[in-house]
Amino acid sequence: AQSVTQPDIHITVSEGASLELRCNYSYGATPYLFWYVQSPGQGLQLLLKYFSGDTLVQGIKGFEAEFKRSQSSFNLRKPSVHWSDAAEYFCAVGAQRNQGGKLIFGQGTELSVKP
Amino acid sequence: GAVVSQHPSWVICKSGTSVKIECRSLDFQATTMFWYRQFPKQSLMLMATSNEGSKATYEQGVEKDKFLINHASLTLSTLTVTSAHPEDSSFYICSAVPINQPQHFGDGTRLSIL
């Protein structure tokens, strides 16, 4: 079955500390992977995506993610967290590069940032 | 670019009424749009795929007569919650798909049924 798992429901980090949000997927075909961020009461903003090529992808706001096929993972990282990064983060997998297809979302990880 | 506008952002209405939510792609055309439902502290649940000029494709368990979707133009899809009841209260989010780009999301509509 196709699925996305984000093992951490809630993470708290200190401002300035590094961050890693975990994402594991189960997908029968070549996965196209995404990280989205959602602020309270708002829609989703795309942080970054992986389609092919370099397995380390850079996104907006200083985020990066690494695709590891052997581990079926696509973890999101940021070297130094800012208070404005507090939000809900969703990992998603899709089947089509042009995204005419559906996305399967993980359960989300809520990030809190303490001063 | 690739802005998706969703309206209204918040609506409160009485039980039994119908509510229409609009999803517009402002600077691109979208043959495909998606409608999601999100409960508090939970992930997005895909309700249906909206296809311009044809019938929407509903996910299993979603009542198509309850949640009417119309995608009459390349920039507009609407979701109508018919005869809404308190259990329909939720956060509804749409997304649209620019050519060769990932889904772009609207800011969502918070629906409260009294």
Side-chain angles (χ1 to χ4, degrees):
Chain A
Q2 301 167 351
S3 65
V4 177
T5 301
Q6 292 178 245
D8 304 305
I9 296 174
H10 189 195
I11 285 181
T12 300
V13 299
S14 298
E15 189 167 18
S18 63
L19 170 70
E20 182 169 28
L21 302 182
R22 295 183 292 165
C23 173
N24 293 97
Y25 66 90
S26 174
Y27 206 75
T30 300
Y32 297 108
L33 296 156
F34 307 83
W35 274 99
Y36 285 89
V37 60
Q38 183 182 32
S39 297
Q42 295 190 14
L44 276 66
Q45 181 184 22
L46 179 68
L47 287 175
L48 48 77
K49 60 185 183 290
Y50 171 78
F51 287 163
S52 64
D54 192 347
T55 55
L56 183 64
V57 293
Q58 303 297 320
I60 62 172
K61 304 184 179 185
F63 286 92
E64 66 178 28
E66 185 171 12
F67 171 59
K68 292 186 178 180
R69 185 184 297 274
S70 62
Q71 299 178 18
S72 297
S73 69
F74 188 56
N75 295 346
L76 182 71
R77 301 194 293 250
K78 185 169 184 177
S80 178
V81 170
H82 188 262
W83 64 267
S84 60
D85 293 324
E88 188 86 18
Y89 291 80
F90 291 97
C91 180
V93 63
Q96 296 184 22
R97 181 188 177 100
N98 66 4
Q99 283 312 287
K102 305 174 189 178
L103 289 178
I104 300 171
F105 284 88
Q107 302 92 318
T109 298
E110 182 179 3
L111 174 64
S112 297
V113 180
K114 58 183 181 181
Chain B
V3 177
V4 177
S5 174
Q6 197 170 332
H7 179 81
S9 57
W10 191 20
V11 58
I12 302 174
C13 61
K14 294 181 179 180
S15 183
T17 60
S18 294
V19 179
K20 180 184 285 188
I21 303 170
E22 294 185 347
C23 181
R24 293 182 184 273
S25 56
L26 297 186
D27 51 0
F28 65 97
Q29 294 182 331
T31 56
T32 302
M33 294 185 177
F34 297 92
W35 286 97
Y36 297 85
R37 183 173 181 175
Q38 185 179 31
F39 291 102
K41 300 293 186 180
Q42 294 190 25
S43 188
L44 281 73
M45 180 192 77
L46 180 64
M47 298 175 66
T49 303
S50 174
N51 303 297
E52 188 270 336
S54 64
K55 292 182 178 180
T57 303
Y58 290 82
E59 295 300 299
Q60 189 173 9
V62 178
E63 300 176 60
K64 56 184 177 183
D65 295 331
K66 173 75 171 177
F67 299 99
L68 299 179
I69 292 173
N70 184 277
H71 194 154
S73 77
L74 287 170
T75 59
L76 174 64
S77 174
T78 60
L79 169 68
T80 301
V81 183
T82 62
S83 186
H85 292 283
E87 59 267 27
D88 299 322
S89 299
S90 192
F91 192 57
Y92 293 87
I93 306 176
C94 72
S95 71
V97 188
I99 294 176
N100 291 326
Q101 291 190 42
Q103 294 182 33
H104 285 71
F105 288 82
D107 282 339
T109 297
R110 184 158 304 283
L111 174 62
S112 297
I113 309 297
L114 304 177

